[in-house]
Amino acid sequence: MGRKHKFDYFGAFEQHSKLAVAESALLVETIEQFTEASALEENTQKAHEIEHEGDTINHKIFKTVATDFITPIDREDIYAISTAQERTIDSLNGLGTR
């Protein structure tokens, strides 16, 4: 019987964090370079793409934690960390689109 590949929760948290940093940097860039609303379309699209990547990571984490027999930390903590990171990315995206 082959060994099951273990999901890297901490790597996923790190990817989520990098997306939050990218979303923050994009928001700062958007604010600093603002001239008119029509010029925001490209940055808005980039922000949505980053947010979608965050959603994908979050779904992978939730799917895996639901089926893993043993997790490196408590399941509740994994859910809490992932949810907090996802809410941060979503909030930054929402702020940028407003």
Side-chain angles (χ1 to χ4, degrees), residues 22-53:
E23 191 81 43
S24 299
L26 184 61
L27 178 61
V28 169
E29 175 187 318
T30 301
I31 292 169
E32 288 177 345
Q33 296 178 358
F34 179 78
T35 55
E36 57 186 54
S38 62
L40 298 178
E41 190 173 331
E42 184 179 332
N43 281 2
T44 301
Q45 181 61 34
K46 286 180 189 175
H48 287 306
E49 290 170 7
I50 293 170
E51 193 271 334
H52 181 70
E53 284 183 61

Side-chain angles (χ1 to χ4, degrees), residues 14-79:
E14 186 177 348
Q15 289 175 338
H16 237 168
S17 296
K18 287 179 181 179
L19 290 175
V21 169
E23 191 81 43
S24 299
L26 184 61
L27 178 61
V28 169
E29 175 187 318
T30 301
I31 292 169
E32 288 177 345
Q33 296 178 358
F34 179 78
T35 55
E36 57 186 54
S38 62
L40 298 178
E41 190 173 331
E42 184 179 332
N43 281 2
T44 301
Q45 181 61 34
K46 286 180 189 175
H48 287 306
E49 290 170 7
I50 293 170
E51 193 271 334
H52 181 70
E53 284 183 61
D55 287 342
T56 302
I57 292 169
N58 204 41
H59 292 262
K60 285 180 188 177
I61 291 171
F62 281 18
K63 182 179 177 183
T64 307
V65 78
T67 59
D68 268 357
F69 183 69
I70 298 173
T71 56
I73 58 176
D74 289 340
R75 292 176 198 285
E76 296 82 16
D77 293 337
I78 293 171
Y79 284 121

